[in-house]
Amino acid sequence: QVQLVESGGGLVQPGSSLRLSCAGSGLTLDYYTIGWFRQAPGKEREGVSCISSSLGYTYYADSVKGRFTISIDNAKNTVYLQMNSLKPEDTGVYYCAAGPRGIVTDMRTAKFDDWGQGTQVTVSS
C-alpha cells in the first residue's frame, strides 16, 4: 500500500524557515517524480516544487525560486522541502504527491497519482 506522510508544518513569523518532510512507504521515492503542492483558503492548489531525483531534475515555481529547496534522502525514502525567507503568502496546506518519473515543466498538467494528507504552514506575525 502506497503511503505518503507529510510533516514539519507549523506557525512561523515572516522571514523564518521551515523544513517539510514527505516520507514514503510502499514505493521508492527515487523512482518517481515527487511534487510539493500547496493550497491556501479560497485559492486553487498550486504546484510549488518537484524532484525527479534519478534524472537529476528539479523544478520550482517562480514564486519560490531562490527561497525553497527540494531534496531527497534515499536512505530514509524521504523528500524534503526547505523553505527559507517565508512570506505570509506562503501560508497554506502543503501536500506531497508521487507521479511517473519524468521532466516536469508545468505542475498544473503533470500527472500525480498518490497524495499525502497535508501539513499546515502558517506564516504570520
Side-chain angles (χ1 to χ4, degrees), residues 27 48 51-52 56 65 73 77 91 105:
L27 77 169
V48 174
I51 183 168
S52 303
K65 278 181 183 176
D73 185 332
N77 204 33
T91 294
T105 58

Side-chain angles (χ1 to χ4, degrees), residues 15-60:
S16 299
S17 298
L18 279 175
R19 188 178 77 160
L20 305 184
S21 300
C22 172
S25 59
L27 77 169
T28 301
L29 299 187
D30 190 42
Y31 296 166
Y32 294 83
T33 292
I34 306 300
W36 282 100
F37 294 79
R38 67 187 179 191
Q39 188 163 22
K43 293 189 177 181
E44 292 188 357
R45 187 176 63 198
E46 174 189 15
V48 174
S49 180
C50 65
I51 183 168
S52 303
S53 176
S54 59
L55 300 177
Y57 179 79
T58 58
Y59 166 93
Y60 296 95

